[in-house]
Amino acid sequence: MRTIDLRGQKLSPADMLAAVPRATQARAEALETAARIVEDVRAGGEDALRAQAEKFDAVTGHAVRVPKSHLDDAVASLTSEIRSALEETIRRVRQASTAQVPDDRVTEIGPGARITQRWQPVQRVGVYIPGGKAVYPSSVIMNVVPAQVAGVEQIALASPPQRDQDGRIHPVILAAAGLLGITEVYAMGGAGAIGAFAWGVPGLDLDPVDVVSGPGNNYVASAKRAVAGVVGTDSEAGATEILIVADAAADARLIAADLISQAEHDEQASAVLVTDSADLAERVATEVEQLAAATRHSERVAVSLAGPQSAIVLVDDRAMATAFSNAYAPEHLELHLADAEAAASAFTSAGAVFVGDQTPVSLGDYMAGSNHILPTGGQARYAPGLGAYTFLRPQQVISYDHAALAVVREGVVALANAEVLPAHGEAIEARFQGAAQPATTL
């Protein structure tokens, strides 16, 4: 891992953003490619999806729309250990997601004047589950459970066909879908799947969705950008990121283990340590070298850690570490600090914050109860991770009776005239002319 030394520098917010390690070229290239793939699916439908499956997944002749028997077979094949873990994860995520659904709120503006704030679920959602370098049944749960909690009626799921499964989706992914009662499943992957959800595929009886959600690589994240405005999307959960802020007392081996745990996702994964301790930085670098060489996906990890998106960042003090973290806005933020609980409130920009060295990102990836589908690429400065709220639309329901309208009659007409929109005022006045007025009440 390279070292970025920011000590002794006075950095403006713009300078801090410029110092953040990012693989910007990879993201730019991904956007161009993803947009082309999405357009191919819009124009070519099932034929385009099959051509993409052959090119990217080395699969031909597979059932793009997955028969229910495949789901049933997958559920039946689960070991008791995996089934138990999936069911417990479902329980925990459902419990945490339920807290994300607001109750309706009624505000009495005045006598006979009421505004109701309500949250309506979208009708149809398409969730994407990656299936390239790893298998993610946990992501099935993280997508589907919040949508179910929100009250979404139709949930379709897509994941890439697997060459070593005769063109089927990986059975553990299918099993997780089956446990959650999902029956509309498509063996299609990458940016093409996002395009299929956005535009629909008549030949597969795949109707367009209202919202697309789910993690993936930079191509999947870029495909969401390409379909934005056609459908709603969650934040762009691209190649994973971990940023660890640590002080001199932190355990170098735990930090190294956590950096590697995210680097094994993908060669484009970002792993960053920020510390004001040069001694800790050296110890972490040594531990990373040793642990990375011994892990199963050592080659993938090595590429990730050597990339421009990964680094050890040296800062002057806690304030500078906090400013850097908030500028970076990582997907996952770990605080390996002696006062982590007290310090956490200052770290305002992160997809999820893991407080203390006994709360690793791996816990959040699976069974913490939190959602692991989180914004990447700095989007945590303004966008949330996935939750039940992703699938809800806040609406205002306005109800005034005649007396309440009379209270604001003159003010509305005055504002309409000031904006040179006289018909707006005339629509108000029409209710006070002619026939007797209704005696309505709320």
Side-chain angles (χ1 to χ4, degrees), residues 270-288:
S270 302
V272 179
L273 167 65
V274 180
T275 183
D276 59 0
S277 170
D279 177 66
L280 176 70
E282 291 180 9
R283 288 187 284 119
V284 169
T286 299
E287 293 286 356
V288 164

PDB file of all heavy atoms in Angstrom, residues 270-288:
ATOM      1  N   SER A 270     -11.438  -0.474  -2.485  1.00  0.00           N
ATOM      2  CA  SER A 270     -10.598   0.552  -1.853  1.00  0.00           C
ATOM      3  C   SER A 270     -10.387   0.212  -0.387  1.00  0.00           C
ATOM      4  O   SER A 270     -11.341  -0.072   0.337  1.00  0.00           O
ATOM      5  CB  SER A 270     -11.271   1.919  -1.955  1.00  0.00           C
ATOM      6  OG  SER A 270     -11.516   2.267  -3.295  1.00  0.00           O
ATOM      7  N   ALA A 271      -9.129   0.272   0.058  1.00  0.00           N
ATOM      8  CA  ALA A 271      -8.784   0.025   1.453  1.00  0.00           C
ATOM      9  C   ALA A 271      -7.871   1.154   1.925  1.00  0.00           C
ATOM     10  O   ALA A 271      -6.773   1.326   1.392  1.00  0.00           O
ATOM     11  CB  ALA A 271      -8.093  -1.328   1.604  1.00  0.00           C
ATOM     12  N   VAL A 272      -8.329   1.915   2.916  1.00  0.00           N
ATOM     13  CA  VAL A 272      -7.610   3.115   3.340  1.00  0.00           C
ATOM     14  C   VAL A 272      -7.509   3.141   4.861  1.00  0.00           C
ATOM     15  O   VAL A 272      -8.498   2.902   5.561  1.00  0.00           O
ATOM     16  CB  VAL A 272      -8.332   4.394   2.852  1.00  0.00           C
ATOM     17  CG1 VAL A 272      -7.587   5.642   3.314  1.00  0.00           C
ATOM     18  CG2 VAL A 272      -8.471   4.383   1.332  1.00  0.00           C
ATOM     19  N   LEU A 273      -6.329   3.422   5.359  1.00  0.00           N
ATOM     20  CA  LEU A 273      -6.101   3.668   6.778  1.00  0.00           C
ATOM     21  C   LEU A 273      -5.716   5.123   6.963  1.00  0.00           C
ATOM     22  O   LEU A 273      -4.856   5.635   6.244  1.00  0.00           O
ATOM     23  CB  LEU A 273      -4.982   2.770   7.324  1.00  0.00           C
ATOM     24  CG  LEU A 273      -4.437   3.141   8.711  1.00  0.00           C
ATOM     25  CD1 LEU A 273      -5.500   2.973   9.790  1.00  0.00           C
ATOM     26  CD2 LEU A 273      -3.188   2.330   9.041  1.00  0.00           C
ATOM     27  N   VAL A 274      -6.325   5.787   7.935  1.00  0.00           N
ATOM     28  CA  VAL A 274      -5.972   7.162   8.291  1.00  0.00           C
ATOM     29  C   VAL A 274      -5.538   7.160   9.752  1.00  0.00           C
ATOM     30  O   VAL A 274      -6.280   6.706  10.631  1.00  0.00           O
ATOM     31  CB  VAL A 274      -7.168   8.115   8.103  1.00  0.00           C
ATOM     32  CG1 VAL A 274      -6.767   9.537   8.486  1.00  0.00           C
ATOM     33  CG2 VAL A 274      -7.669   8.072   6.678  1.00  0.00           C
ATOM     34  N   THR A 275      -4.347   7.658  10.012  1.00  0.00           N
ATOM     35  CA  THR A 275      -3.830   7.665  11.373  1.00  0.00           C
ATOM     36  C   THR A 275      -2.853   8.818  11.581  1.00  0.00           C
ATOM     37  O   THR A 275      -2.219   9.281  10.633  1.00  0.00           O
ATOM     38  CB  THR A 275      -3.145   6.328  11.713  1.00  0.00           C
ATOM     39  OG1 THR A 275      -2.721   6.344  13.081  1.00  0.00           O
ATOM     40  CG2 THR A 275      -1.951   6.066  10.805  1.00  0.00           C
ATOM     41  N   ASP A 276      -2.763   9.252  12.843  1.00  0.00           N
ATOM     42  CA  ASP A 276      -1.748  10.250  13.192  1.00  0.00           C
ATOM     43  C   ASP A 276      -0.525   9.603  13.835  1.00  0.00           C
ATOM     44  O   ASP A 276       0.347  10.292  14.360  1.00  0.00           O
ATOM     45  CB  ASP A 276      -2.334  11.312  14.120  1.00  0.00           C
ATOM     46  CG  ASP A 276      -2.887  10.734  15.411  1.00  0.00           C
ATOM     47  OD1 ASP A 276      -2.818   9.491  15.606  1.00  0.00           O
ATOM     48  OD2 ASP A 276      -3.401  11.511  16.233  1.00  0.00           O
ATOM     49  N   SER A 277      -0.456   8.271  13.766  1.00  0.00           N
ATOM     50  CA  SER A 277       0.665   7.531  14.345  1.00  0.00           C
ATOM     51  C   SER A 277       1.496   6.884  13.243  1.00  0.00           C
ATOM     52  O   SER A 277       1.062   5.905  12.617  1.00  0.00           O
ATOM     53  CB  SER A 277       0.156   6.454  15.310  1.00  0.00           C
ATOM     54  OG  SER A 277       1.198   5.593  15.697  1.00  0.00           O
ATOM     55  N   ALA A 278       2.697   7.397  13.018  1.00  0.00           N
ATOM     56  CA  ALA A 278       3.577   6.807  12.014  1.00  0.00           C
ATOM     57  C   ALA A 278       3.989   5.395  12.410  1.00  0.00           C
ATOM     58  O   ALA A 278       4.157   4.516  11.550  1.00  0.00           O
ATOM     59  CB  ALA A 278       4.809   7.682  11.831  1.00  0.00           C
ATOM     60  N   ASP A 279       4.126   5.156  13.712  1.00  0.00           N
ATOM     61  CA  ASP A 279       4.482   3.814  14.183  1.00  0.00           C
ATOM     62  C   ASP A 279       3.382   2.818  13.853  1.00  0.00           C
ATOM     63  O   ASP A 279       3.652   1.718  13.366  1.00  0.00           O
ATOM     64  CB  ASP A 279       4.729   3.852  15.690  1.00  0.00           C
ATOM     65  CG  ASP A 279       5.020   2.459  16.245  1.00  0.00           C
ATOM     66  OD1 ASP A 279       6.073   1.884  15.893  1.00  0.00           O
ATOM     67  OD2 ASP A 279       4.186   1.949  17.019  1.00  0.00           O
ATOM     68  N   LEU A 280       2.120   3.189  14.112  1.00  0.00           N
ATOM     69  CA  LEU A 280       1.010   2.287  13.771  1.00  0.00           C
ATOM     70  C   LEU A 280       0.978   2.041  12.270  1.00  0.00           C
ATOM     71  O   LEU A 280       0.760   0.906  11.822  1.00  0.00           O
ATOM     72  CB  LEU A 280      -0.320   2.879  14.231  1.00  0.00           C
ATOM     73  CG  LEU A 280      -1.546   2.049  13.834  1.00  0.00           C
ATOM     74  CD1 LEU A 280      -1.604   0.749  14.622  1.00  0.00           C
ATOM     75  CD2 LEU A 280      -2.840   2.835  14.007  1.00  0.00           C
ATOM     76  N   ALA A 281       1.187   3.072  11.480  1.00  0.00           N
ATOM     77  CA  ALA A 281       1.170   2.914  10.024  1.00  0.00           C
ATOM     78  C   ALA A 281       2.188   1.884   9.572  1.00  0.00           C
ATOM     79  O   ALA A 281       1.895   1.027   8.716  1.00  0.00           O
ATOM     80  CB  ALA A 281       1.444   4.260   9.355  1.00  0.00           C
ATOM     81  N   GLU A 282       3.383   1.922  10.136  1.00  0.00           N
ATOM     82  CA  GLU A 282       4.414   0.951   9.773  1.00  0.00           C
ATOM     83  C   GLU A 282       4.011  -0.460  10.187  1.00  0.00           C
ATOM     84  O   GLU A 282       4.211  -1.421   9.429  1.00  0.00           O
ATOM     85  CB  GLU A 282       5.736   1.336  10.430  1.00  0.00           C
ATOM     86  CG  GLU A 282       6.373   2.597   9.863  1.00  0.00           C
ATOM     87  CD  GLU A 282       7.682   2.934  10.540  1.00  0.00           C
ATOM     88  OE1 GLU A 282       8.178   2.093  11.330  1.00  0.00           O
ATOM     89  OE2 GLU A 282       8.224   4.033  10.287  1.00  0.00           O
ATOM     90  N   ARG A 283       3.454  -0.583  11.384  1.00  0.00           N
ATOM     91  CA  ARG A 283       3.047  -1.907  11.851  1.00  0.00           C
ATOM     92  C   ARG A 283       1.909  -2.477  11.016  1.00  0.00           C
ATOM     93  O   ARG A 283       1.887  -3.674  10.710  1.00  0.00           O
ATOM     94  CB  ARG A 283       2.655  -1.841  13.329  1.00  0.00           C
ATOM     95  CG  ARG A 283       3.853  -1.644  14.255  1.00  0.00           C
ATOM     96  CD  ARG A 283       3.476  -1.744  15.725  1.00  0.00           C
ATOM     97  NE  ARG A 283       2.799  -0.542  16.198  1.00  0.00           N
ATOM     98  CZ  ARG A 283       1.574  -0.514  16.688  1.00  0.00           C
ATOM     99  NH1 ARG A 283       0.855  -1.641  16.741  1.00  0.00           N
ATOM    100  NH2 ARG A 283       1.040   0.618  17.116  1.00  0.00           N
ATOM    101  N   VAL A 284       0.974  -1.630  10.622  1.00  0.00           N
ATOM    102  CA  VAL A 284      -0.124  -2.091   9.771  1.00  0.00           C
ATOM    103  C   VAL A 284       0.410  -2.526   8.412  1.00  0.00           C
ATOM    104  O   VAL A 284      -0.001  -3.576   7.873  1.00  0.00           O
ATOM    105  CB  VAL A 284      -1.191  -0.987   9.612  1.00  0.00           C
ATOM    106  CG1 VAL A 284      -2.192  -1.363   8.510  1.00  0.00           C
ATOM    107  CG2 VAL A 284      -1.926  -0.769  10.932  1.00  0.00           C
ATOM    108  N   ALA A 285       1.314  -1.766   7.831  1.00  0.00           N
ATOM    109  CA  ALA A 285       1.881  -2.132   6.530  1.00  0.00           C
ATOM    110  C   ALA A 285       2.543  -3.499   6.594  1.00  0.00           C
ATOM    111  O   ALA A 285       2.412  -4.324   5.674  1.00  0.00           O
ATOM    112  CB  ALA A 285       2.876  -1.070   6.080  1.00  0.00           C
ATOM    113  N   THR A 286       3.253  -3.777   7.680  1.00  0.00           N
ATOM    114  CA  THR A 286       3.905  -5.081   7.846  1.00  0.00           C
ATOM    115  C   THR A 286       2.876  -6.189   7.971  1.00  0.00           C
ATOM    116  O   THR A 286       3.007  -7.253   7.342  1.00  0.00           O
ATOM    117  CB  THR A 286       4.806  -5.061   9.095  1.00  0.00           C
ATOM    118  OG1 THR A 286       5.814  -4.059   8.926  1.00  0.00           O
ATOM    119  CG2 THR A 286       5.468  -6.407   9.295  1.00  0.00           C
ATOM    120  N   GLU A 287       1.845  -5.949   8.776  1.00  0.00           N
ATOM    121  CA  GLU A 287       0.802  -6.964   8.962  1.00  0.00           C
ATOM    122  C   GLU A 287       0.042  -7.218   7.669  1.00  0.00           C
ATOM    123  O   GLU A 287      -0.285  -8.365   7.342  1.00  0.00           O
ATOM    124  CB  GLU A 287      -0.167  -6.522  10.068  1.00  0.00           C
ATOM    125  CG  GLU A 287       0.418  -6.465  11.455  1.00  0.00           C
ATOM    126  CD  GLU A 287       0.628  -7.845  12.071  1.00  0.00           C
ATOM    127  OE1 GLU A 287       0.249  -8.851  11.439  1.00  0.00           O
ATOM    128  OE2 GLU A 287       1.180  -7.910  13.182  1.00  0.00           O
ATOM    129  N   VAL A 288      -0.236  -6.168   6.928  1.00  0.00           N
ATOM    130  CA  VAL A 288      -0.946  -6.329   5.660  1.00  0.00           C
ATOM    131  C   VAL A 288      -0.147  -7.203   4.708  1.00  0.00           C
ATOM    132  O   VAL A 288      -0.687  -8.113   4.058  1.00  0.00           O
ATOM    133  CB  VAL A 288      -1.235  -4.951   5.019  1.00  0.00           C
ATOM    134  CG1 VAL A 288      -1.611  -5.106   3.543  1.00  0.00           C
ATOM    135  CG2 VAL A 288      -2.348  -4.233   5.758  1.00  0.00           C
TER     136      VAL A 288
END
